Amino acid sequence: MVNSLVQFIIRQFAGKIAAAVASGILFAVMAGFAWLSAHFPTVAALCSPQEVAGWLAAFVVAMLNIAANKWHLDQKTVAEVDAEIAKNPPVPIVKAEPV
């Protein structure tokens, strides 16, 4: 019951959740890089905080997408469809072409 409720909420507000998560990650990464540059400026100059935040946001949004779309169940469905196709392979239909 709770799992279904969480999936419903994620599906309904996925865009807003993704934007909030991306903004939060960007804020946290920028704050971390501000602290890092204050203490270790040479280390902070080696990478871009926006790229780090982008990669982290993409990872979190992908995890939300997997949670919302029941990825593990989708893989089971794909396996069942593949098994049915293997049992009854489709017959190619050749259409007549004008000469």
Side-chain angles (χ1 to χ4, degrees), residues 19-90:
V21 166
S23 297
I25 288 174
L26 181 61
F27 174 76
V29 168
M30 292 301 240
F33 268 84
W35 179 87
L36 188 64
S37 64
H39 291 86
F40 308 102
T42 55
V43 175
L46 294 177
C47 60
S48 169
Q50 288 180 333
E51 288 182 17
V52 172
W55 282 104
L56 288 173
F59 175 74
V60 170
V61 169
M63 292 298 117
L64 282 173
N65 191 21
I66 289 171
N69 294 323
K70 301 179 184 179
W71 185 75
H72 60 283
L73 294 178
D74 290 343
Q75 292 301 314
K76 181 181 174 188
T77 305
V78 169
E80 289 173 359
V81 169
D82 285 343
E84 288 298 319
I85 289 174
K87 283 195 286 188
N88 302 316

Side-chain angles (χ1 to χ4, degrees), residues 3 7-8 77:
N3 194 17
Q7 288 175 350
F8 174 76
T77 305

